[in-house]
Amino acid sequence: MNIRWKREEIIFETLYEADVWGDYLANEIYERIYDGYITPDYKIAYSLAFRLASIHTFRVNTQQDGLNIYKVWVTS
């Protein structure tokens, strides 16, 4: 399986900011622009995984690589 990743180095100070960003990312993944997201911010990963889990056709996968690299991706 070939995963199309979006990778960014953004770190937000609040969970609210990360959640707004996670909503935007969830839309991109829902539209199948990307399959997954890589971030150093655990707040974005948390929010994105939560939002994607509400879409019943997705199976949400998460992984922590090292101390501060978080991956969230979906499979159908």
Side-chain angles (χ1 to χ4, degrees), residues 32 35 52-53 55-62 73-76:
R32 294 300 200 177
D35 299 313
L52 291 173
I55 302 170
H56 299 295
T57 58
F58 285 159
R59 169 171 248 145
V60 180
N61 305 280
T62 61
W73 72 98
V74 296
T75 55
S76 297

Side-chain angles (χ1 to χ4, degrees), residues 19-31:
D19 189 45
V20 170
W21 192 252
D23 184 38
Y24 160 75
L25 294 169
N27 288 330
E28 285 191 343
I29 292 174
Y30 181 74
E31 293 172 2

Side-chain angles (χ1 to χ4, degrees), residues 13-48:
E13 290 190 23
T14 67
L15 184 56
Y16 175 77
E17 293 170 318
D19 189 45
V20 170
W21 192 252
D23 184 38
Y24 160 75
L25 294 169
N27 288 330
E28 285 191 343
I29 292 174
Y30 181 74
E31 293 172 2
R32 294 300 200 177
I33 296 171
Y34 301 103
D35 299 313
Y37 187 72
I38 301 172
T39 180
D41 190 349
Y42 71 93
K43 296 178 298 294
I44 296 173
Y46 167 82
S47 174
L48 181 58

Side-chain angles (χ1 to χ4, degrees), residues 54-72:
S54 69
I55 302 170
H56 299 295
T57 58
F58 285 159
R59 169 171 248 145
V60 180
N61 305 280
T62 61
Q63 180 180 357
Q64 181 179 0
D65 287 345
L67 293 176
N68 59 350
I69 299 297
Y70 303 91
K71 297 179 179 179
V72 179

